[in-house]
Amino acid sequence: MEPSIGAAGSGWTPEALRQRVVELGPWFHDLDLGHGVRTAPDHPLGNFLEELWQQVQRYLPEDLSGSSVLDIGCNAGFYAQQLRRRGARVVGVDHDERYLAQARFAAEVNGLEIDYRRLEVYDIDSLGERFDYVLFMGVLYHLRYPLYALDKVAKLPRKRLIFQSMIRGVPGTIPIPEDAPITERAIFEHPRFPAMFFIENRYVGDPTNWWVPNEAGMEAMLRSAGLRIVDHPFLELWICEPADA
């Protein structure tokens, strides 16, 4: 692993950092830029990124030197920066140019070389390569065509996919038969039957929240996309590997 990759805030005064943070705001990722400057210190969700990272990092090598990582929906680059600090070659993609501007600025300030690209997840196969590790976190429920995207993403990891999604409905799963006659109706009424909730208008004030799966539905989608679930640390997080690995 690289012992040091840049110094936070080097070459910037605190005043210049704060001004640029304001110009690029608002921020969803709270990043440490050094000199006591953070990008979203009063985030309404608190320190949720760091808390989630504590769960995720256990499933990645401490030393990622020589490994490639793809961060889909990278936003301002919190996870991309963590992965780069472990020595990985990191590609971060997002469809929002404002988030990418934030990510490039934060990476420059922290002295981290990360390849950020503007790309829709539906076009993710245009990258033309597979990656050792893929992060696909906080994206699926924002997609109008989630399974189409998941089918593409599932083909990208060589070793492991770290997946996270909003989950609603009754938690837990039930055994699902391989087949059923057309007269079977009761199973569809079971609260743990794999399902997706469609949001026609808004949820949490966000018009990009389209589909929210229940726990059983999310696991069924992951398997149907060609992934094997190897761990499920908590309700919204799955650790997957290619089923043919």
Side-chain angles (χ1 to χ4, degrees):
M1 182 186 296
E2 299 177 34
S4 177
I5 309 177
S10 60
W12 289 77
T13 65
E15 294 76 15
L17 282 173
R18 293 190 185 96
Q19 179 61 35
R20 189 60 178 146
V21 166
V22 170
E23 292 170 353
L24 291 173
W27 294 68
F28 186 69
H29 280 191
D30 181 27
L31 303 174
D32 184 359
L33 302 180
H35 300 300
V37 179
R38 304 192 69 92
T39 57
D42 300 317
H43 200 291
L45 297 179
N47 200 25
F48 80 103
L49 286 172
E50 185 61 42
E51 292 169 358
L52 190 51
W53 172 246
Q54 293 306 314
Q55 295 283 343
V56 168
Q57 68 169 340
R58 299 184 290 121
Y59 299 95
L60 297 164
E62 284 286 340
D63 186 353
L64 284 168
S65 301
S67 296
S68 58
V69 181
L70 174 64
D71 183 5
I72 302 172
C74 61
N75 202 281
F78 175 87
Y79 299 112
Q81 289 201 16
Q82 299 288 352
L83 296 161
R84 181 68 186 116
R85 289 188 175 102
R86 289 192 175 196
R89 175 178 70 87
V90 181
V91 176
V93 302
D94 205 292
H95 77 109
D96 192 319
E97 190 56 52
R98 180 171 64 87
Y99 290 148
L100 291 171
Q102 293 175 350
R104 292 181 181 118
F105 161 70
E108 176 191 344
V109 169
N110 286 333
L112 300 170
E113 184 179 347
I114 300 171
D115 182 3
Y116 287 115
R117 308 184 196 182
R118 185 175 186 180
L119 194 65
E120 296 285 346
V121 66
Y122 306 116
D123 302 319
I124 200 71
D125 47 0
S126 69
L127 290 172
E129 65 172 307
R130 298 182 70 193
F131 296 80
D132 295 307
Y133 301 94
V134 176
L135 272 66
F136 190 36
M137 302 173 63
V139 178
L140 186 93
Y141 49 93
H142 291 299
L143 303 176
R144 192 168 173 89
Y145 311 105
L147 190 55
Y148 175 63
L150 185 59
D151 281 343
K152 288 177 175 264
V153 171
K155 295 179 175 65
L156 298 180
R158 280 191 287 261
K159 296 181 179 178
R160 185 160 280 181
L161 171 72
I162 311 294
F163 177 85
Q164 182 267 334
S165 174
M166 181 194 303
I167 301 294
R168 293 293 182 266
V170 177
T173 63
I174 58 171
I176 302 297
E178 288 294 320
D179 197 359
I182 197 169
T183 53
E184 172 60 58
R185 293 177 179 270
I187 194 170
F188 294 98
E189 297 172 3
H190 196 290
R192 292 186 176 86
F193 186 81
M196 294 275 279
F197 301 100
F198 178 69
I199 301 170
E200 181 180 1
N201 299 312
R202 294 170 182 256
Y203 182 54
V204 200
D206 189 341
T208 73
N209 285 325
W210 284 108
W211 292 96
V212 184
N214 65 5
E215 185 175 14
M218 194 64 258
E219 294 197 352
M221 290 175 69
L222 291 166
R223 290 191 297 265
S224 75
L227 296 164
R228 180 175 65 250
I229 298 169
V230 297
D231 207 351
H232 183 30
F234 64 91
L235 182 63
E236 296 190 343
L237 183 67
W238 283 266
I239 312 302
C240 303
E241 295 175 355
D244 59 356

